[in-house]
């Protein structure tokens, strides 16, 4: 399942603007948002680029997992956060520095 509609709402991008940005018809863009059409990989790459997100952020988490993929900067260090364990480790670092 894709999060395109959710991301478009967050970024304030209309369906028409989205279609223009990725170079497809409004009908196709709408079908991508609803899941009626699955975009090809090259289209997914284009969508991620125009929405300025990591391609992984286009997908909803599976198996009941949380959507964690990113980086956090804390006290001039950058931490990768890909799992609950990564987040817990960072929280422990933050708590230890207080």
């Amino acid at each position: 399942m894709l999060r395109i509609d959710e991301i478009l709402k967050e970024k304030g991008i209309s369906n028409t603007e989205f279609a223009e940005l990725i170079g497809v018809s409004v009908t196709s863009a709408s079908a991508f948002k609803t899941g009626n059409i699955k975009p090809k990989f090259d289209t997914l790459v284009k969508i991620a680029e125009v929405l300025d997100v990591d391609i992984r952020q286009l997908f909803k988490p599976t198996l009941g997992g949380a959507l964690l993929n990113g980086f956090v900067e804390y006290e001039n260090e950058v931490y990768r956060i890909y799992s609950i364990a990564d987040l817990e480790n960072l929280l422990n670092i933050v708590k230890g520095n207080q």
Side-chain angles (χ1 to χ4, degrees):
M1 304 271 319
L2 295 174
R3 299 179 53 243
I4 295 171
D5 192 41
E6 180 182 337
I7 295 168
L8 290 173
K9 287 177 184 172
E10 289 172 5
K11 295 189 175 274
I13 298 173
S14 72
N15 193 52
T16 303
E17 183 180 1
F18 173 58
E20 290 172 1
L21 289 169
I22 62 171
V24 301
S25 69
V26 174
T27 303
S28 292
S30 182
F32 294 158
K33 286 174 34 178
T34 61
N36 291 332
I37 294 176
K38 306 275 188 280
K40 293 180 182 178
F41 181 75
D42 59 329
T43 305
L44 285 172
V45 171
K46 178 74 172 177
I47 291 169
E49 287 174 355
V50 300
L51 296 180
D52 193 31
V53 297
D54 186 293
I55 195 166
R56 294 170 291 180
Q57 291 177 280
L58 296 176
F59 298 91
K60 292 183 181 181
T62 58
L63 302 175
L67 180 64
L68 289 175
N69 61 38
F71 299 89
V72 174
E73 183 176 350
Y74 175 72
E75 293 190 351
N76 298 319
E77 292 286 331
V78 177
Y79 299 87
R80 290 188 310 183
I81 308 295
Y82 291 133
S83 67
I84 296 293
D86 292 341
L87 186 57
E88 288 172 343
N89 288 337
L90 178 57
L91 288 172
N92 287 333
I93 291 168
V94 171
K95 288 177 185 176
N97 288 337
Q98 292 180 352

